[in-house]
């Protein structure tokens, strides 16, 4: 009887308690220890400052010719080394000039390069065994191909999101390709 009197007085005093006793027990408090997105908007707005894109300009070889390469819309003359975020002139004349020293830039980088695609010109040429051994000891795979196939392989690996480098020598012959996508056809 006393409980009924207490409930009746609460009912009259607080209109929000017009709930049945079962609903009163199951009701979740409006404010708890966890904030909902609506609560966060009451206190402050979330701001994001983009310092650098997650995947800034992935390298992509647009075309090649006997004079050089078109990489991300930029013309590169002569042999070049493509790194995940930069393009460098590579001081080699032919596949015979490729040494451990000329490959050293690939193992000095962070994040570590997984694979280096080497384009040796018009034909696939063999590299010196000590050069391949040095790369393998440093945990870097080397794929040696003719330059047209090396360009296509590099683009494919970059598209997959692999940390890839390329060492490319332009083909000497009259080969000129306006777009690497034509090679796939």
């Amino acid at each position: 009887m006393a409980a009924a009197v207490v409930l009746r007085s609460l009912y009259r005093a607080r209109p929000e308690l017009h709930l049945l006793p079962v609903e009163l027990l199951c009701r979740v408090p409006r404010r708890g220890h966890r904030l909902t997105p609506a609560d966060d908007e009451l206190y402050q707005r979330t701001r994001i400052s983009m310092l650098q894109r997650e995947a800034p300009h992935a390298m992509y070889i647009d075309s090649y010719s006997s004079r050089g390469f078109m990489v991300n819309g930029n013309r590169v003359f002569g042999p070049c080394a493509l790194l995940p975020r930069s393009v460098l002139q590579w001081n080699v004349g032919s596949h015979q000039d490729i040494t451990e020293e000329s490959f050293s830039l690939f193992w000095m980088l962070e994040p570590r390069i997984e694979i280096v695609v080497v384009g040796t010109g018009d034909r696939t040429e063999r590299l010196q065994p000590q050069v391949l051994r040095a790369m393998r000891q440093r945990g870097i795979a080397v794929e040696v191909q003719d330059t047209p196939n090396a360009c296509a392989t590099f683009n494919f690996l970059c598209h997959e999101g692999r940390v890839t480098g390329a060492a490319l020598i332009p083909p000497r012959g009259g080969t000129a390709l306006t777009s690497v996508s034509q090679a796939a056809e």
Side-chain angles (χ1 to χ4, degrees), residues 79-81 88-94 97-98 102 105:
C80 65
L88 303 171
Q89 294 280 268
W90 197 36
N91 193 17
V92 297
S94 71
D97 297 330
I98 298 174
S102 64
L105 63 110

Side-chain angles (χ1 to χ4, degrees), residues 34-53:
R34 294 184 184 206
L35 296 176
T36 64
D39 292 331
D40 188 39
E41 289 175 5
L42 292 174
Y43 299 113
Q44 65 184 18
R45 297 257 182 222
T46 302
R47 293 183 186 194
I48 297 173
S49 297
M50 191 173 288
L51 298 176
Q52 187 174 14
R53 298 167 109 188

Side-chain angles (χ1 to χ4, degrees), residues 90-135:
W90 197 36
N91 193 17
V92 297
S94 71
H95 72 282
Q96 296 166 343
D97 297 330
I98 298 174
T99 63
E100 284 183 58
E101 186 178 316
S102 64
F103 266 148
S104 64
L105 63 110
F106 292 106
W107 64 68
M108 289 188 210
L109 298 175
E110 283 297 325
R112 183 168 283 269
I113 299 240
E114 297 174 28
I115 184 168
V116 174
V117 180
V118 181
T120 57
D122 291 320
R123 302 178 344 166
T124 302
E125 303 287 349
R126 290 182 153 229
L127 297 184
Q128 299 170 9
Q130 64 266 25
V131 173
L132 296 174
R133 191 177 318 112
M135 295 295 279

